[in-house]
Amino acid sequence: MNKPRVYVTRVVPEGGLAMIRAACDAEVWAEELPPPRPVLLEKVHGIDGLLCLLTDQIDAEVLDAAGPRLRVVSNHAVGYDNVDVAAATARGIPVGNTPGILTETTADFAFALLMAAARRVVEGADYVRAGKWRTWGPMLLLGHDVHGATLGLVGMGRIGQAMARRAAGFGMKVVYYDPYFDAARAAAAGAEGSDTLEALLAEADFISVHVPLTGETHHLIDARALAKAKPTAVLINTSRGPVVDTDALVDALASGQIAYAALDVTDPEPLPADHRLLALPNCLVVPHIASASWATRTRMAVMAAENLLAGLRGERLPNCVNPEVYGSR
Ligand code: DGY
């Protein structure tokens, strides 16, 4: 019997790739950059399954280019704002993602950004590398304490809660804003709910964003929101770039309305080398690597492969973002 044909839009860790290669006739895009749109449209033609990344826009045009054999789209990420889920659902195609497994790794990294920003780790390293370290200085590279400070979590899902656990260990006060989170669970996590985003922003020393990108959260952190923050506030974003209005953030950092931003995600992404954000001394940008540990990326690849293979077998995906495709099944 012919193996199902699948297209994999980038080389993912071997743990997942080996599972796919064993069960499928797989074509893997082996370049460093994502397949250009015309290539993607051509490569998906006639496939049974697609394993894609957050860098691939999977919309109605791609689904139609794939044609009627396509029976599963597996996204190698927990976030799936790159997939037009409604278009997939309308065609009866289940979409998989990789929730849960990257929670702790992402929270580790968000906390690393928080610490690096507070204690000027990157500036210190640059200072030494530039040959400027001539003596111990009582006023050299003074930063801000993390212990005793207030962490404001925008979003109290899995990663927000993992941040709250870390913050407790550092003796921080934790407040959160999440209209969808149940207050009883927050009390257990040692966090206090804030009724409004504005109130949270006014109180937090460190603001860490942990919401998915949706119509509701697009530019949630805009000029009005940033105007509420303390002038000493540090903004950390490991969610999705467009949750923050980039122009408003540039203005807020340049004018000293907030003190610092540490960003794992940006809008646009990737950020061009001549972008205004990169000219600001009070902004640290890293290339969307919060989940980038060997163990987590391998687990993500395995989970994405499990979703793909289940869909190809006609089984329910272990992690499906549009279970409505199954009807009452
Ligand atoms: C995700 O999975 O959504 C992250 O942004 C990348 O790991």
Side-chain angles (χ1 to χ4, degrees):
M1 207 176 84
N2 286 345
K3 288 180 171 180
R5 268 190 64 209
V6 304
Y7 188 59
V8 180
T9 63
R10 216 84 67 78
V11 176
V12 296
E14 191 51 31
L17 216 44
M19 290 166 65
I20 297 169
R21 285 201 165 113
C24 308
D25 171 7
E27 184 176 0
V28 181
W29 178 254
E31 306 287 323
E32 186 190 353
L33 299 182
R37 181 82 180 173
V39 173
L40 178 64
L41 290 170
E42 184 209 316
K43 293 289 184 187
V44 295
H45 183 70
I47 58 170
D48 300 285
L50 175 65
L51 190 137
C52 54
L53 273 59
L54 57 86
T55 43
D56 307 306
Q57 279 311 315
I58 307 302
D59 53 16
E61 190 186 18
V62 173
L63 300 173
D64 289 341
R69 295 180 61 96
L70 183 65
R71 50 188 187 277
V72 56
V73 170
S74 174
N75 206 36
H76 181 270
V78 62
Y80 50 88
D81 46 279
N82 59 308
V83 181
D84 184 340
V85 176
T89 306
R91 290 160 180 75
I93 300 169
V95 176
N97 73 335
T98 64
I101 45 173
L102 45 73
T103 300
E104 301 298 335
T105 302
T106 303
D108 282 350
F109 194 81
F111 217 85
L113 289 179
L114 184 158
M115 297 288 287
R119 298 304 305 276
R120 306 178 67 176
V121 174
V122 176
E123 283 166 87
D126 288 347
Y127 183 87
V128 174
R129 231 181 255 284
K132 295 181 181 167
W133 188 18
R134 298 175 57 222
T135 180
W136 182 88
M139 302 296 284
L140 180 62
L141 288 167
L142 303 186
H144 293 281
D145 284 330
V146 170
H147 67 272
T150 298
L151 172 62
L153 295 168
V154 180
M156 195 57 169
R158 285 180 291 254
I159 301 174
Q161 292 170 55
M163 283 297 279
R165 290 193 294 277
R166 281 157 182 74
F170 275 80
M172 300 180 86
K173 175 178 174 186
V174 181
V175 291
Y176 72 91
Y177 170 71
D178 187 338
Y180 302 103
F181 191 66
D182 151 23
R185 287 172 62 207
E192 266 174 40
S194 192
D195 290 339
T196 62
L197 176 61
E198 288 70 24
L200 173 128
L201 295 170
E203 187 180 357
D205 299 304
F206 298 90
I207 301 157
S208 193
V209 182
H210 301 286
V211 290
L213 175 61
T214 63
E216 199 184 345
T217 63
H218 184 264
H219 286 190
L220 181 67
I221 307 296
D222 60 5
R224 262 188 54 202
L226 289 164
K228 301 285 180 209
K230 295 180 181 180
T232 50
V234 171
L235 176 73
I236 299 131
N237 191 7
T238 51
S239 64
R240 285 290 184 265
V243 174
V244 176
D245 177 342
T246 302
D247 290 337
L249 178 61
V250 169
D251 292 345
L253 289 167
S255 67
Q257 195 166 56
I258 69 167
Y260 200 91
L263 309 173
D264 180 47
V265 291
T266 56
D267 180 21
E269 200 170 294
L271 203 62
D274 61 354
H275 194 278
R276 288 193 300 153
L277 270 180
L278 298 179
L280 293 166
N282 51 347
C283 186
L284 169 64
V285 182
V286 292
H288 202 151
I289 52 172
S291 70
S293 76
W294 285 103
T296 289
R297 286 288 168 84
T298 299
R299 282 191 216 112
M300 285 169 69
V302 168
M303 202 175 209
E306 285 168 351
N307 281 333
L308 181 78
L309 298 182
L312 292 171
R313 289 191 299 263
E315 295 167 8
R316 217 179 163 96
L317 310 195
N319 288 284
C320 183
V321 305
N322 57 343
E324 59 276 18
V325 288
Y326 299 115
S328 53
R329 172 143 70 103

